[in-house]
Amino acid sequence: MTSEIFKRKELVFALIAFLGLWLFLDYSVVEPGVQSVTADILKWATLLGGFMLIYGGLEALRYHSKVVYKKQRNWYWSAYFVAIVLVYVFSGLIQGSKGMIPQWLFNNMLDPASATMYSILAFYIISALYRTLRLRSIELAILSLVTIIVVAANDPIITIYVPQLTAVRDWFISVPNVGANRGFVIGAAIGAIFLGVRVFLGRERSLVR
Amino acid sequence: MTDVLTLFGTYIAIIITLAVYSYIIKETDLFRFAEYSFLATSIGWAILLGLDTINNVGISAISKGRYDYIIPIILGLLLFTRFSGKLWYLARYPVAFILGVGLGVFMRGQIHAMFLQQIAATVITPVTVDSLIILVGVLSVLVFFYFTREHKGALGYVSTLGRYFLMVGFGATFGNTVLYRINLAVGRIIFILRALGLLP
Amino acid sequence: MGWAKKMGEISSKWIYILLAILLVIPLLVPIPLPLTPSHYTMEVYETIESLKPGDNVLFVIDTGTSGWPALGPGVIALVEHLFRKDGVKVFFVEFESTSPPLVDRAVAAAPSASKKKYGEDWIHLGFVAGEETGKASFAADIRKVISVDYKYGKPIDEYPIMKNVKNMNDFKLIVEPTNAITWMEQAIRQWYTPYHVPIISIPPFLDVPWAENYYRAGQLKAYLAGTSGLAEYEKLLGMYGDATRGLAVMTTTHTYAIILFVIGNISYFLSRRKKEVK
Amino acid sequence: MVSFAHPLTIAILALAFIISYYNIRRAKIGTLPTLRRKIPAVDAIEQAVGRATELGRPIIFTPGLSSLETIDAPQTLAGLSILSYVSKLAAKTKTPIFVGVSKATILPLAQEIVKMACLEAGVPEAVETQHVEYLSDQQFAYAAGYIGIMAREKAASNIFTGTLWAESLIFAEAGHAAGCFQIGGTAVWTQMAFIVPTCDFVLLGEELMAAGAILSNDPEQISTIVSHDFLRLIAIALVLIAFALTLLKVPVLSYINGG
């Protein structure tokens, strides 16, 4: 019977609400007793963050192992994936996360792949700038012209001959942009506040599977 | 032995760098090699970090006599019930703990730093033309995202003004993204040229 | 009259090939460029310059390996400048998962690091999980989330530098280079707003418009902006780093972008006028 | 310097609870105001589906990179509400759809939504023409998979609404080059800069969540948008009050900075 109680989502939302409000109120109630309990709660959450990293990894391992087992599309790449993960984890367990093999994998596979991944966007953004920044409407004219002013101001050769350009760029970024960005940040904060409130009230059912 | 390994490693790094760039021409098996290497090593590294965290934060506390830290370890192990058919709902509790604490920390920060401080910062003295433009920008963007009333008449003008302010913000971001993406590419090309000995 | 339309539709292949060339040439044939430090760069420089012996600086590398190619030179310059200040103690810590190994990379590239003694002048505390919760937890009580240092795995209290350093109030300055504005916002929410410790940062250049907002609001004390910002800082320190080396590439690639923009719009207006005429 | 930071922070949270509860109750008894501000992209969805039907080519859709168990949940939820609406429209004319999903956790949800939408449209067999596929958790593998489908299936319309990060530039650029009728939507500021010039219609920031609420006409989601508007009015008032106080030389910022 007790398993029925633990199944109910209300208990889960009660735990979320209690912890959320405790952390929220701790922020303003400067009580040593409260502070040290909070420091422990925060530490437990950080510790669970470690479990979350492992769970995410195992979830990926399970998915790719299933792909290999069922010989689905690209199963050999999934086999390669599983092999590398296992080599990385077991060599890490034996030699420690800074051992020779884990360091080798980090420096020669993880670092080059992740460091290069975003740089391919340099090509996409140049062709997007060429193909799509057209003065088709007032809005696109504003967006395109501000973009080109920033690009020109970031171009050292142009700023030699037109030094005021950096001042024009800095004005656009520090005045109208700050106005727009601040309005957006305040709006986003409003969205975040009500997301938290709905979760605490147990209305955000989709957040807990 | 080790310098053969490091040499081999450098070549693998160059191959992966070029494999990622091959994505631009066409998505080939070369890119898949880089993609799956990236996916696998980032997962492997995350698992090791997770284990280190549990050891440094959890186990070390218990070894120092804090036996109450066995509770979060058990709570963490409950996460793996998601893999079991029967007890899957128990995994909700560690997720709830992280979510509850995360939301509490996130929301107090959002209200104080991102709501109150950003509002107060909109009107810093001395009041200049620029700070008035910022004020008009903030107000018009807030009105732009207002949904309960039809944007007609005066409200329509303010909302359109808000949209134009947003366009300036997007232009500033687009221009600076060109700078950032190109710099990321430069950093990788410097790596390749240096590995090939063409740069000091 | 089809050339107007064709001008606006050059195939991506040629655009990419020309871009690739313009990316590599200036690296092999360095073009010296004049640099005048902007006020953004000077504010970061003076903030570090004003540090006194005994001041503790928290250095949070949140660039990740994905941001390192662009932000790495700036991180190295800031580490070098901090190591030039006698008596200033530097504490490295990371909240982004791929960043821990970058500390050794930055310290190895900083010439003045040889003058500094690990465990007395600087220490590498390592990775803290939990992102924003980790940052709040670290600020409340360092020893709750860090028990051993990252470099040697020894308990942190064995290092003299850790004496009477308990929580965020013991830090004079936070330096947080990052490859996403979300990491900087977490630092503002969990460190600046509650503890009032000033933050200087190197934001990813695409988030400079965001950083400017927090800088104008006083939530961010100072930040380095763009390639020129990093190159200016290297010049202030008399270093010839990768930022200065890469500055020349900004000339070729950005001029190329402006030419493409002009061509694209000329083609658009000509073909649009042709449509009206028909 | 006394600080009103903490009492104000608690006051705003308490206010948010009251507003949220008030609007949820109004939603139950049906006295909730409707979201009358027009969102052009919402009306454009019908145009996007119509174009695909006319050309006899499929629609391609993605609810973004994120899942429902993160702070980005509202964007993913809005993306899935828009999927349900698009799926219903397409089912009526049996226009094929290809849905690309990045997180395995929302795959079953997306499949369920498509099935329900076809049933509600009264054309249950249309489910065969609507394919939901899990692409990859990794950002760029997901992008490669998505534009791969777009090219292979010669999509006529491309709708990508939800949490989007750097990969949105690849969607937008590929779709624009392929001549797709594009509707993009996200609340991630840096990506809005890319969808505005490359898409025919856009959902910017809060517009995405409002569109999700309108299309789902789920009173719960609409009450959320109405609650946001309450606090938005209060924010506007606070800005004006702060401005007035500053003119009277009151150091507003230091009161908020908490000493």
Side-chain angles (χ1 to χ4, degrees):
Chain A
M1 214 300 281
T2 55
S3 76
E4 286 319 310
I5 299 169
F6 284 104
K7 242 192 192 124
R8 297 173 53 79
K9 273 200 173 182
E10 286 66 25
L11 198 58
V12 176
F13 280 110
L15 176 62
I16 294 174
F18 168 73
L19 286 166
L21 291 172
W22 177 286
L23 261 303
F24 191 93
L25 295 175
D26 152 78
Y27 188 74
S28 345
V29 175
V30 190
E31 269 286 324
V34 167
Q35 286 283 354
S36 78
V37 169
T38 311
D40 277 326
I41 294 176
L42 282 170
K43 177 172 175 180
W44 286 16
T46 312
L47 179 53
L48 290 176
F51 279 98
M52 211 56 171
L53 284 171
I54 296 169
Y55 166 71
L58 294 183
E59 188 72 61
L61 262 180
R62 178 173 71 140
Y63 172 78
H64 285 284
S65 317
K66 211 164 61 185
V67 167
V68 173
Y69 181 72
K70 289 194 192 138
K71 296 278 188 298
Q72 289 172 344
R73 199 162 49 94
N74 292 335
W75 67 271
Y76 42 89
W77 283 119
S78 291
Y80 170 71
F81 170 89
V82 170
I84 294 286
V85 171
L86 295 181
V87 164
Y88 205 132
V89 172
F90 286 112
S91 65
L93 288 175
I94 299 157
Q95 302 176 334
S97 60
K98 292 197 291 307
M100 210 256 294
I101 297 177
Q103 284 293 86
W104 188 91
L105 286 168
F106 185 95
N107 291 329
N108 300 311
M109 277 195 173
L110 177 56
D111 177 45
S114 85
T116 313
M117 212 51 101
Y118 288 96
S119 64
I120 59 176
L121 288 168
F123 294 90
Y124 283 94
I125 198 161
I126 290 292
S127 74
L129 180 142
Y130 161 64
R131 242 189 269 290
T132 63
L133 287 193
R134 299 282 197 270
L135 309 184
R136 290 198 301 259
S137 65
I138 297 172
E139 285 161 13
L140 280 180
I142 298 172
L143 191 147
S144 307
L145 291 175
V146 172
T147 301
I148 282 310
I149 287 168
V150 169
V151 168
N154 287 337
D155 182 345
I157 284 289
I158 293 180
T159 44
I160 293 172
Y161 298 105
V162 187
Q164 309 83 353
L165 211 53
T166 37
V168 171
R169 172 197 62 184
D170 289 347
W171 183 82
F172 271 108
I173 290 178
S174 59
V175 181
N177 164 68
V178 162
N181 191 271
R182 188 160 294 162
F184 178 78
V185 162
I186 295 170
I190 293 171
I193 294 165
F194 279 104
L195 173 67
V197 162
R198 278 203 320 282
V199 171
F200 293 158
L201 288 172
R203 309 294 310 183
E204 198 60 47
R205 314 295 295 183
S206 58
L207 220 55
V208 175
R209 230 167 35 163
Chain B
M1 208 331 247
T2 50
D3 63 356
V4 168
L5 212 56
T6 40
L7 196 65
F8 175 62
T10 311
Y11 283 123
I12 289 287
I14 291 177
I15 289 164
I16 284 186
T17 303
L18 298 175
V20 170
Y21 279 125
S22 73
Y23 177 97
I24 304 160
I25 300 147
K26 207 171 84 49
E27 210 249 320
T28 59
D29 267 349
L30 196 60
F31 172 75
R32 237 168 238 292
F33 166 67
E35 171 203 345
Y36 276 80
S37 306
F38 174 38
L39 210 55
T41 45
S42 59
I43 295 279
W45 173 252
I47 291 174
L48 284 181
L49 275 181
L51 292 170
D52 280 351
T53 301
I54 294 167
N55 185 28
N56 296 346
V57 176
I59 312 289
S60 77
I62 293 169
S63 62
K64 288 202 196 83
R66 287 295 302 268
Y67 296 109
D68 53 340
Y69 273 75
I70 293 170
I71 301 168
I73 297 226
I74 295 165
L75 210 55
L77 293 172
L78 284 183
L79 205 52
F80 303 118
T81 58
R82 269 194 183 177
F83 295 123
S84 84
K86 285 203 320 307
L87 302 164
W88 54 270
Y89 53 85
L90 289 177
R92 285 185 179 150
Y93 292 91
V95 169
F97 194 96
I98 294 174
L99 201 57
V101 171
L103 270 177
V105 161
F106 173 68
M107 272 179 61
R108 67 186 191 187
Q110 282 293 87
I111 293 179
H112 189 187
M114 297 303 163
F115 186 77
L116 292 172
Q117 269 179 349
Q118 283 277 303
I119 287 177
T122 308
V123 276
I124 307 171
T125 50
V127 176
T128 62
V129 172
D130 283 353
S131 72
L132 281 178
I133 295 172
I134 291 177
L135 178 67
V136 168
V138 170
L139 292 174
S140 55
V141 165
L142 281 171
V143 164
F144 174 77
F145 287 116
Y146 188 74
F147 290 96
T148 349
R149 288 263 316 271
E150 182 80 35
H151 282 198
K152 282 210 300 296
L155 196 60
Y157 286 114
V158 176
S159 170
T160 311
L161 181 63
R163 194 178 179 90
Y164 291 157
F165 266 97
L166 285 172
M167 291 303 151
V168 173
F170 297 153
T173 296
F174 200 117
N176 276 305
T177 306
V178 170
L179 178 70
Y180 191 53
R181 300 297 180 219
I182 285 186
N183 256 283
L184 288 168
V186 164
R188 287 316 293 166
I189 292 166
I190 288 176
F191 160 79
I192 297 173
L193 296 178
R194 215 166 249 153
L196 300 174
L198 296 165
L199 263 180
Chain C
M1 259 301 269
W3 60 270
K5 201 162 179 335
K6 246 196 252 74
M7 209 165 61
E9 279 149 14
I10 304 167
S11 94
S12 295
K13 195 153 49 69
W14 297 112
I15 291 176
Y16 295 160
I17 291 167
L18 191 51
L19 179 62
I21 295 166
L22 293 174
L23 278 168
V24 177
I25 300 292
L27 290 172
L28 300 172
V29 179
I31 316 159
L33 289 163
L35 273 172
T36 50
S38 71
H39 73 87
Y40 294 102
T41 311
M42 288 318 294
E43 271 170 52
V44 171
Y45 187 81
E46 272 135 25
T47 307
I48 294 184
E49 207 49 36
S50 66
L51 288 171
K52 289 183 291 305
D55 284 346
N56 294 329
V57 174
L58 186 66
F59 203 107
V60 186
I61 297 186
D62 274 344
T63 63
T65 48
S66 57
W68 186 264
L71 305 172
V75 174
I76 294 166
L78 288 179
V79 167
E80 167 62 16
H81 192 188
L82 283 168
F83 276 160
R84 287 186 185 177
K85 302 289 295 176
D86 325 330
V88 167
K89 303 202 181 316
V90 183
F91 299 72
F92 289 100
V93 69
E94 298 82 42
F95 297 84
E96 194 275 341
S97 62
T98 64
S99 297
L102 301 179
V103 171
D104 288 339
R105 198 180 291 182
V107 169
S112 306
S114 51
K115 301 204 293 281
K116 293 289 170 174
K117 202 166 167 316
Y118 186 79
E120 272 172 37
D121 299 314
W122 69 284
I123 187 169
H124 183 190
L125 298 171
F127 173 72
V128 175
E131 294 193 3
E132 185 152 4
T133 310
K135 282 187 166 143
S137 187
F138 178 86
D141 179 350
I142 294 172
R143 283 164 182 74
K144 288 280 183 196
V145 281
I146 302 274
S147 53
V148 291
D149 79 316
Y150 183 83
K151 205 164 171 58
Y152 301 108
K154 273 166 52 189
I156 53 175
D157 289 320
E158 286 178 19
Y159 295 102
I161 193 174
M162 288 309 290
K163 204 149 51 60
N164 55 47
V165 172
K166 280 183 291 305
N167 54 38
M168 193 47 76
N169 296 318
D170 300 320
F171 289 104
K172 200 84 162 53
L173 177 67
I174 297 165
V175 177
E176 186 182 25
T178 166
N179 77 332
I181 197 75
T182 39
W183 298 103
M184 183 198 292
E185 285 171 332
Q186 289 170 2
I188 291 171
R189 279 195 293 264
Q190 304 309 328
W191 292 342
Y192 170 75
T193 303
Y195 298 89
H196 316 303
V197 183
I199 301 173
I200 62 175
S201 173
I202 309 174
F205 310 152
L206 76 155
D207 284 331
V208 158
W210 279 74
E212 181 64 19
N213 172 8
Y214 298 131
Y215 167 73
R216 288 260 153 206
Q219 295 167 313
L220 181 64
K221 179 146 182 21
Y223 69 95
L224 291 179
T227 328
S228 47
L230 304 190
E232 286 155 19
Y233 211 86
E234 282 177 351
K235 188 173 175 223
L236 285 170
L237 298 173
M239 291 165 70
Y240 184 80
D242 285 351
T244 314
R245 197 188 304 281
L247 199 55
V249 181
M250 296 314 122
T251 314
T252 54
T253 48
H254 280 58
T255 312
Y256 176 53
I258 293 166
I259 293 166
L260 283 177
F261 173 78
V262 170
I263 292 174
N265 275 285
I266 290 174
S267 142
Y268 169 71
F269 282 112
L270 281 181
S271 49
R272 201 170 64 123
R273 205 170 50 72
K274 191 158 60 63
K275 241 185 257 117
E276 280 146 23
V277 163
K278 232 214 296 317
Chain D
M1 169 59 77
V2 69
S3 146
F4 294 102
H6 298 310
L8 263 177
T9 306
I10 295 173
I12 300 280
L13 180 70
L15 197 59
F17 266 102
I18 297 163
I19 294 170
S20 193
Y21 184 76
Y22 172 64
N23 281 321
I24 288 168
R25 215 165 52 76
R26 276 208 303 182
K28 276 212 189 67
I29 52 178
T31 59
L32 205 61
T34 57
L35 306 179
R36 277 197 296 280
R37 192 263 222 186
K38 220 160 55 49
I39 305 174
V42 169
D43 314 328
I45 293 174
E46 234 169 297
Q47 193 184 337
V49 174
R51 182 171 189 272
T53 318
E54 232 172 75
L55 296 170
R57 285 168 28 211
I59 301 159
I60 189 165
F61 180 93
T62 181
L65 184 67
S66 191
S67 67
L68 289 173
E69 284 151 4
T70 70
I71 301 173
D72 298 330
Q75 292 183 69
T76 312
L77 205 61
L80 291 172
S81 304
I82 292 168
L83 169 61
S84 162
Y85 179 68
V86 171
S87 187
K88 230 174 278 167
L89 286 179
K92 290 199 179 84
T93 54
K94 287 211 183 58
T95 314
I97 300 184
F98 288 86
V99 181
V101 168
S102 166
K103 289 290 180 290
T105 50
I106 57 170
L107 177 63
L109 197 58
Q111 285 161 336
E112 189 58 33
I113 284 171
V114 163
K115 206 185 307 145
M116 289 291 295
C118 292
L119 280 176
E120 271 160 39
V123 190
E125 68 280 6
V127 166
E128 270 63 41
T129 63
Q130 310 205 350
H131 317 276
V132 183
E133 212 181 308
Y134 166 65
L135 299 175
S136 161
D137 273 55
Q138 204 277 331
Q139 191 178 13
F140 283 82
Y142 158 62
Y146 191 72
I147 58 174
I149 299 172
M150 186 191 291
R152 231 185 3 260
E153 305 299 338
K154 295 189 184 46
S157 302
N158 173 25
I159 302 173
F160 50 113
T161 52
T163 313
L164 298 168
W165 290 97
E167 77 290 343
S168 76
L169 176 62
I170 298 173
F171 295 161
E173 223 271 319
H176 189 273
C180 291
F181 183 93
Q182 296 209 114
I183 300 176
T186 184
V188 176
W189 171 276
T190 40
Q191 301 316 315
M192 290 195 245
F194 298 122
I195 59 174
V196 167
T198 53
C199 291
D200 302 276
F201 289 88
V202 284
L203 291 167
L204 298 178
E206 190 82 30
E207 284 182 327
L208 172 63
M209 275 65 95
I214 292 168
L215 291 175
S216 70
N217 59 51
D218 156 18
E220 196 79 16
Q221 287 185 38
I222 294 173
S223 79
T224 308
I225 305 292
V226 173
S227 301
H228 290 181
D229 279 357
F230 270 55
L231 199 50
R232 203 179 301 283
L233 283 182
I234 291 166
I236 291 171
L238 285 176
V239 168
L240 294 173
I241 292 166
F243 182 62
L245 286 176
T246 313
L247 291 181
L248 301 169
K249 297 287 180 294
V250 171
V252 175
L253 195 55
S254 53
Y255 280 114
I256 302 291
N257 271 346

